[in-house]
Amino acid sequence: MNNKYDVIVIGGGHAGCEAAHAAHRKKLKTCLISISENSIGQMSCNPAIGGLGKTHLVKEIDAAGGIMAEATDASGIQYRTLNTRKGQTVRSLRVQCDRDKYKEAVQKIIKGTDIEVIEAEVEDIEIKKGKAEAVLLNSGKRINGEAIILTTGTFLKGVMYKGDKKTEGGRVGDKASIKLADKLYSLKLPMGRLKTGTPARIKLTSLDLENMEEQPGEEPTPWMSKKGKNTKHIKQISCYITRTNTETHKEISDNIKKSAMYSGNIVGIGPRYCPSIEDKIHKFPLKESHQIFIEPEGVDVDLVYPNGISTSLPEENQKRFIQTIKGMESAEITEYGYAVEYDFVDPRALNKTLELIDVENLYLAGQINGTTGYEEAAAQGLMAGVNASLKICKEESLILERHDGYIGVLIDDLINLGVTEPYRMFTSRAEHRLMFSQDNAEQRLTEKFYKKGFVESEQYNRYSKQEEAYKNFKKLNEAKTISAENKNQKLRDFLKKPNPDLKKIAKLIETEDQENLERLANECKYEGYIKKQLREIKRNEKSLKKHIPIEINFTEIQGLSAEVKERLSTSRPKTIGDASRLEGVTPAAISLITVAIAKKNK
Amino acid sequence: MSIIYALATPPAQSAICVFRVSGEGCLDALSKLFSSELVEPRYFYKTEMLNNGAFIDSVAVVFFKGPKSFTGEDSFEVYAHGGLAVMSKIVEVFDAIGFEEAQPGEFSKRAFLNNKISLSQAEAVSDLISASSKEEASRVSLVLGGDFESRVFDFSGQLDALRVLVEGEIDFTDEDEVFIQNLAGLGADVSRLSAEFCSFAGACSSRKDRFNKPRVLIAGPPNSGKSSLFNSLLSRDRSIVSSIAGTTRDLIDSELVLQNIVLTLGDSAGVRDTDDLIEGAGINISFDEIKKSDLVILVFDEETESSVSFFRELLGEQKYLLVYNKIDVSDKRPLGFDLFVSAKEMDGLNELRKILDERLSVDEIEDLTYLVRERHINIFSEVSSRLDFVSSSIEANESLDVVAENLKACRDLLAEVVGIKTSDELLGEIFSSFCIGK
């Protein structure tokens, strides 16, 4: 262990690993400090990667040189593409992973680099004159760093609830880091409290799978990563679907007062899209049955994650309601469900680079910023790692805008709007959704990250070759005229129609390159919309990018309503564009801010 | 920065009105907008303002090259006649070539940003923006008053409800909820909404048209000089005038521009007992036209004066003016007539114009809201045609991501009236009406 690094990453979750790996790709001296070396890359919730909006994030991380997709492919046991018939831009590949193999894959990737992994507890971050300089370990050792990236998840005042039982800590088996938490509180950052929950874990062999609906993966099995590092899938297995019934609901309703969530113990705000089974039954009493996904924890692991029944009921009630469910009558529970409540830092305290506005060189990424999900955490880790590295190298920062992709939307939403519930990505959050598909992440990002030194040449060369091949395909075929529907038409015009029959077209233009044909078809289909959006983006670019100086005191701007003043003051928008996306901010308010800026500048 | 325009004088009847236009590239439009070439900046030119070559008004124009202008940008000013009809036409023309209506205080703001006015003046600018934005707000709410407003909110609510289903179907595809039973049903819903919106937009613009152009019909017994009056009012030879009874076979409409309003003037076929079949058809039209008109000018002369009571009965509740024509050949001034004119000698016509202007002008509130209205109606028509496009694209099997985009675009258009719908609010509606999540 040295006593000086360029980048110090605290926390070895999905955000921490991406952050450290990005710094490593930039060839900076990096260390990753984790309380437990063995839990690096741990999936702490359900063992799956991807989903609507989330897959887009993973693909973007991959295109930027990150590791999440690669680790997914090393551990994927069931692949399914969602939304196959709703348009290419909203198609999403979701992968069930072997929980242990995922962690192993991440650890293997990290160990394959010169990132130094340090198993220790961080007790303090030293800040001098508003700049973070070093971390202090529980061993008493002091380590200096040019940048410190904090990715410690839910460790801030984490409390677990199960019925009336209350335990401190963010995750079963992990101790909470009290001293570091105290340090963070002493910085007087704006904080909020959130909650989340998990279901019980059940032995696979105790389930009657014959009585459930089997859901096999798709064939041929696709890949999450485009890097081509994995060449062979591990064993593929099925997931299963079962449902709750009226008996289940009765057991839960009868005991709902015993649930930590309903006893008034928990004040944190839970996600609206991830309710506990208690919530579902309470809020939708007319629904007689809820779906449960039985997700295997691994290939040779006797454990499943029953997705859909997260709960904070006492143990005996959990067992009773679970055993009313079809196929789960003799379920053996290895670990009971619980709710977790934790503090997070209001991400409006961050810059676009995820560096704290008030503490230079200290970056926050992941769940600590109020997000939920591995993918959301990893995306932030990547961007914090990238921008901390660029700052150390004295290069211009790399900011992804809302029209660059889902990562841009994620960070922009966080730092401008803050969070009111654990933030999860959905495709509907992206106003330029038709510009981003899981298949065009490379075209949007790889060049950008390669130029800054975050994409390795092997990946970039493969990408360049692929683009070259597409260019040639396009040149060769684009102008072809085909005769279909009793008339001759240009291939381009034909592809623009809804749902063109690509197999038929492939025959007509005599190609076997379905992949590039599909790409061309999608290009033709979305082209008009994308052009229109790009025009709009360009038209507003200059005014929206106008920087709002930090000295601007919104409360002093005459003519703004009290409500708008308050919203602007808490959100601290960095540009005119950011301000204009806030609720209640009218064009007239934007005018007043512009005038105020000009006044300051004179 | 974009090219902006604003009416610098109050949006009410006055001798002249002044429009200001500012923004880089605005001078390129001069040759299209005015009939003569404008050569020198800061010179006053008398010229004609045109709409695609068609005459709007005799105006004076002066243009400025930036930075030597109030805003510091290229700009020009138009001095037109101060009638509301003329103002409305000019707004229409500016909108059509892509100029944007200025935000409150925007001219002053640009002037300040371009260092054309001082710091103390800038304080006044802030006040101006906040004060006039309030005024703007109340103006918009006036326009949208009553059922108008609630209907727009209702439509945007229906649109949001459809978007909840479409976005839910996209983002929560693996959930245990059915958002869209079948696409045909969705298509039908969009198509129904489109039809409703279309009739709403139609109703708005017919309100607008009625407001813009009241219909006035000239009617009366044959050969009383209706067509002569019609032509004299318009000062041109529009319909064939002859002394043979019943020559006006077709109804001829024309625009009559008065000081405050533009009205549609119609000349009817003579109403009389006739067995001339063509003429008979003409009379049928006349009866219909009478019903549709806001005001009827009943024209009589010495020979036909006796039929006044017949026509009065015919008109019933309809508003009318009784005009006694041909005073150049008759000295009689029978009782009960509103006006005595000679269409042939143009005698009494100015008085007739004045009466028409007064009777058909609208009240104060409508005056104020006049200019805001156009923009909203344009938005509604656009939404309706886009919805149409969405429903036909669903029928053509378009993918849901594209359908969602077009629905969102429709909703964005309404944002100006009912405010934006953030994606988070939309998600909130999904979560509250559907059981989502594992």
Side-chain angles (χ1 to χ4, degrees), chain A residues 78 80 96 204 207-216 237-243 291-296 304-307 326-328:
Chain A
Q78 189 227 30
R80 289 192 69 221
Q96 292 295 330
L204 177 73
L207 298 179
D208 178 11
L209 297 178
E210 297 286 302
N211 267 319
M212 297 184 185
E213 183 193 330
E214 182 174 356
Q215 189 191 54
I237 57 178
S238 296
C239 291
Y240 293 84
I241 299 170
T242 181
R243 314 190 60 95
Q291 186 174 268
I292 303 166
F293 268 97
I294 302 296
E295 305 181 2
V304 301
Y305 186 98
N307 206 345
K326 197 173 172 191
M328 300 176 90

Side-chain angles (χ1 to χ4, degrees), chain A residues 406-552:
Chain A
Y406 281 88
I407 297 179
V409 174
L410 167 74
I411 293 177
D412 191 72
D413 275 352
L414 289 178
I415 66 167
N416 287 306
L417 305 177
V419 300
T420 48
E421 66 183 327
Y423 182 99
R424 198 213 116 140
M425 187 48 75
F426 297 105
T427 69
S428 49
R429 293 197 195 270
E431 65 271 39
H432 303 299
R433 180 164 64 191
L434 292 190
M435 290 169 64
F436 323 141
S437 85
Q438 62 172 8
D439 305 316
N440 68 16
E442 287 173 295
Q443 286 91 55
R444 289 182 279 122
L445 302 178
T446 299
E447 192 79 44
K448 260 194 182 102
F449 283 82
Y450 174 71
K451 276 190 187 147
K452 293 280 191 184
F454 295 96
V455 170
E456 282 158 359
S457 52
E458 188 190 335
Q459 182 183 355
Y460 185 72
N461 292 340
R462 205 201 49 76
Y463 163 72
S464 303
K465 240 189 242 163
Q466 166 196 304
E467 292 309 289
E468 190 63 33
Y470 176 65
K471 229 166 89 188
N472 292 335
F473 176 87
K474 197 169 149 181
K475 213 162 134 192
L476 184 69
N477 294 301
E478 194 171 31
K480 274 187 187 167
T481 303
I482 56 171
S483 92
E485 291 165 4
N486 299 323
K487 53 181 174 181
N488 288 331
Q489 18 187 351
K490 284 232 167 74
L491 177 64
R492 239 175 191 285
D493 297 330
F494 195 75
L495 289 174
K496 274 191 180 144
K497 293 179 185 155
N499 264 330
D501 184 344
L502 294 185
K503 279 197 184 121
K504 201 168 118 195
I505 294 169
K507 267 191 203 137
L508 286 170
I509 61 166
E510 292 167 356
T511 181
E512 279 172 14
D513 192 345
Q514 276 289 338
E515 200 180 317
N516 277 327
L517 177 60
E518 196 178 325
R519 184 166 160 189
L520 181 63
N522 284 318
E523 196 182 295
C524 295
K525 173 176 176 171
Y526 296 107
E527 195 171 55
Y529 293 94
I530 291 174
K531 269 191 192 147
K532 187 173 150 248
Q533 298 200 340
L534 286 174
R535 261 201 313 273
E536 261 164 46
I537 292 163
K538 202 159 177 210
R539 195 160 59 102
N540 298 327
E541 200 172 31
K542 221 173 127 193
S543 59
L544 295 184
K545 274 199 167 165
K546 196 173 172 64
H547 182 70
I548 302 177
I550 199 106
E551 311 86 62
I552 291 282

Side-chain angles (χ1 to χ4, degrees), chain A residues 348-366:
Chain A
R348 286 176 293 190
L350 301 170
N351 279 322
K352 283 192 166 183
T353 57
L354 299 180
E355 186 182 19
L356 275 169
I357 293 170
D358 294 334
V359 185
E360 224 185 300
N361 302 333
L362 183 56
Y363 296 75
L364 305 187

Side-chain angles (χ1 to χ4, degrees), chain B residues 70-245:
Chain B
F70 173 69
T71 55
E73 305 170 325
D74 285 353
S75 58
F76 65 88
E77 291 172 11
V78 182
Y79 298 75
H81 291 99
L84 289 170
V86 168
M87 295 183 207
S88 165
K89 262 278 186 276
I90 293 176
V91 165
E92 223 173 80
V93 171
F94 283 164
D95 280 343
I97 57 175
F99 294 178
E100 291 168 20
E101 203 177 327
Q103 302 288 347
E106 197 168 352
F107 279 89
S108 308
K109 186 187 89 184
R110 289 188 178 193
F112 173 71
L113 294 178
N114 292 323
N115 292 314
K116 300 297 284 189
I117 55 175
S118 71
L119 187 68
S120 62
Q121 280 173 300
E123 300 289 350
V125 173
S126 295
D127 291 347
L128 181 72
I129 293 171
S130 56
S132 50
S133 69
K134 265 178 216 137
E135 189 188 303
E136 171 87 11
S138 65
R139 217 202 282 181
V140 172
S141 69
L142 268 178
V143 186
L144 300 172
D147 70 321
F148 206 80
E149 183 176 19
S150 65
R151 291 210 60 194
V152 181
F153 271 90
D154 177 51
F155 278 122
S156 71
Q158 290 191 51
L159 196 51
D160 289 338
L162 288 178
R163 291 190 64 213
V164 160
L165 299 180
V166 173
E167 294 294 340
E169 186 67 33
I170 288 174
D171 263 339
F172 304 99
T173 179
D174 52 339
E175 295 288 343
D176 190 22
E177 288 280 1
V178 180
F179 293 91
I180 297 173
Q181 292 281 3
N182 60 70
L183 284 173
L186 176 72
D189 282 346
V190 174
S191 159
R192 181 186 45 76
L193 190 60
S194 165
E196 274 179 40
F197 219 105
C198 182
S199 79
F200 174 66
C204 294
S205 58
S206 79
R207 268 160 86 161
K208 180 193 84 169
D209 282 344
R210 255 191 59 207
F211 172 66
N212 273 352
K213 290 180 209 161
R215 289 191 71 80
V216 172
L217 183 72
I218 302 180
N223 234 8
S224 59
K226 300 182 297 292
S227 296
S228 304
L229 183 65
F230 177 81
N231 287 327
S232 300
L233 276 172
L234 295 167
S235 308
R236 68 193 135 148
D237 213 6
R238 182 71 186 261
S239 50
I240 314 145
V241 187
S242 80
S243 57
I244 308 155

